[in-house]
Amino acid sequence: MSTLAVYPGSFDPLTNGHVDIISRGVRMFDRIIIAILVNAEKSPMFTMQERVEIAREVFKAYPQVEVDTFNGLLVDYVERKQAQVIVRGLRAVSDFEFEFQMALMNRRLNAKIETVFMMPAEQYTYISSRLIKEVFSLGGRVHGLVPELVEQRLREKGLAKEA
Ligand code: PNS
């Protein structure tokens, strides 16, 4: 049986931490869908279309990685896609409580779907999309923390002097 995993999130923007998790995931699962939540934030930095475009471009060399959007309950989306697994990254103990709640709630909603947690490489454990946006918009350097395409798109948005 081939395993299909869904990697859900806001991806506003995609970071190298996300890329690291997906790169590990392709070694474990036959296919992965990067599922971007529609309207997760009221005022995202990147539009849904930009986030989809970025993820597709970054993973264009990986035929087993698909990029999609979803709204509503994650478990309903996973079921519709006939996927078996939800992948989430765990960076630190601070992530654990929220992830634990989500995994157990999702299991209660659909016991057939399993959540698998993956640890990113240690150099990415402190990165979050929120911090990237904050640092960049205050003029800080985010080089090496996000894919080059994200860095370029941030610069195009003219939010800081230099990436
Ligand atoms: O990147 P994020 O913001 O940490 O991702 C959170 C996400 C998208 C995985 C979560 O908010 C989600 O699954 N939302 C969909 C609605 C849903 O199913 N909520 C119940 C989860 S227990």
Side-chain angles (χ1 to χ4, degrees), residues 108-126:
R108 187 190 163 88
L109 294 169
N110 188 330
K112 294 191 302 255
I113 300 166
E114 213 51 68
T115 300
V116 170
F117 293 107
M118 300 188 70
M119 267 186 285
E122 59 267 33
Q123 70 262 35
Y124 302 129
T125 49
Y126 63 93

Side-chain angles (χ1 to χ4, degrees), residues 10-15 18 40-47 51 127-142 145-146 150 154 157 159-160:
S10 312
F11 303 103
D12 183 37
L14 185 78
T15 68
H18 296 130
E41 277 182 69
K42 281 196 192 84
S43 46
M45 179 176 273
F46 288 91
T47 65
R51 282 179 271 163
I127 305 176
S128 68
S129 298
R130 187 185 59 78
L131 268 188
I132 293 293
K133 286 184 279 194
E134 183 171 321
V135 168
F136 188 84
S137 55
L138 295 172
R141 216 174 118 79
V142 296
L145 304 179
V146 292
V150 170
L154 282 166
K157 287 187 181 284
L159 293 163

Side-chain angles (χ1 to χ4, degrees), residues 88-105 115-119 125:
R88 291 287 290 171
L90 260 193
R91 292 164 298 191
V93 179
S94 51
D95 280 342
F96 182 77
E97 196 173 342
F98 176 60
E99 294 298 334
F100 179 76
Q101 287 174 348
M102 276 210 305
L104 292 184
M105 180 59 84
T115 300
V116 170
F117 293 107
M118 300 188 70
M119 267 186 285
T125 49

